[in-house]
Amino acid sequence: VEAVDAEIGKIVDEIDRQNLWENTVIIFTSDHGDGNAAHQWNQKTVLYEEVANVPFIVCLPGGRNAGTTLPQLINTGIDLMPSVCDWGGASVPEGRKGVSFRAVAEAGDPEKPHQEYVVTETNFRQTSGTLGWMVRTARYKYVLYDKGLYREQLYDMSTDRGEMRNLAVEAAYDDILREHREMLREWMRSHPGPGRDRQFRFIPND
């Protein structure tokens, strides 16, 4: 952390030196977290919050909306490119699926509509080769793996940030479970890729 902080400091110092704060946007994030022994896990491939929920800070010109925390859902893997293109006045390359978060950051409004959900994929290449997907909505988190004893999981992130109660096995949450399954189907249909047509079979039938 100290080493990263020092490198960020070099960039900030140069922006100060050239007096560029009025037209500079800084975005700080990470590609993944680590298990850090939560759920007896220490790697990055599982889809618990310690791994999937990463830092995300946007510093706007003039310190606009400084200190504001927003709840909108951002996928740092694919939303970064269209956002940088948006600020830079460049066209987004054809075929990119990300959504720009520029309007959300500049509005600073927690009620501003944005994307309904985000999806994360994982692949346990180093061990079992297990595939996994996470659908995150405003309140819930749905996780599906292609194999395993508890391969389907649903958590209420407003009351269970530690992901200790799997609601996917509770009948009272059947409707919410089906909604999130359909979101994953929709995402797979709109994001074609190698083997994606075969991956539909991993989603349980409603």
Side-chain angles (χ1 to χ4, degrees), residues 31-71:
D31 56 344
H32 64 80
D34 290 303
N36 292 329
H39 299 273
Q40 300 181 358
W41 188 262
N42 70 332
Q43 300 295 319
K44 64 182 181 180
T45 43
V46 77
L47 292 170
Y48 286 123
E49 283 295 275
E50 289 80 9
V51 171
N53 188 13
V54 298
F56 190 77
I57 301 169
V58 179
C59 179
L60 297 173
R64 182 175 176 181
N65 300 325
T68 302
T69 301
L70 300 174

Side-chain angles (χ1 to χ4, degrees), residues 40-128:
Q40 300 181 358
W41 188 262
N42 70 332
Q43 300 295 319
K44 64 182 181 180
T45 43
V46 77
L47 292 170
Y48 286 123
E49 283 295 275
E50 289 80 9
V51 171
N53 188 13
V54 298
F56 190 77
I57 301 169
V58 179
C59 179
L60 297 173
R64 182 175 176 181
N65 300 325
T68 302
T69 301
L70 300 174
Q72 285 89 341
L73 298 167
I74 304 296
N75 187 318
T76 59
I78 62 174
D79 293 345
L80 201 58
M81 177 189 285
S83 303
V84 171
C85 289
D86 194 356
W87 267 299
S91 299
V92 178
E94 185 177 354
R96 301 288 75 82
K97 298 291 186 178
V99 179
S100 173
F101 50 77
R102 176 182 177 179
V104 170
E106 291 184 347
D109 180 1
E111 301 299 324
K112 185 175 179 59
H114 196 49
Q115 47 198 348
E116 181 183 5
Y117 65 91
V118 295
V119 175
T120 298
E121 286 185 295
T122 189
N123 188 335
F124 292 64
R125 288 192 181 94
Q126 295 87 351
T127 53
S128 63

Side-chain angles (χ1 to χ4, degrees), residues 176-195:
I176 295 171
L177 184 63
R178 283 193 290 269
E179 289 174 4
H180 285 70
R181 286 173 178 168
E182 184 52 38
M183 289 177 192
L184 183 56
R185 289 192 185 95
E186 176 186 56
W187 182 86
M188 286 185 173
R189 283 192 291 265
S190 63
H191 292 74

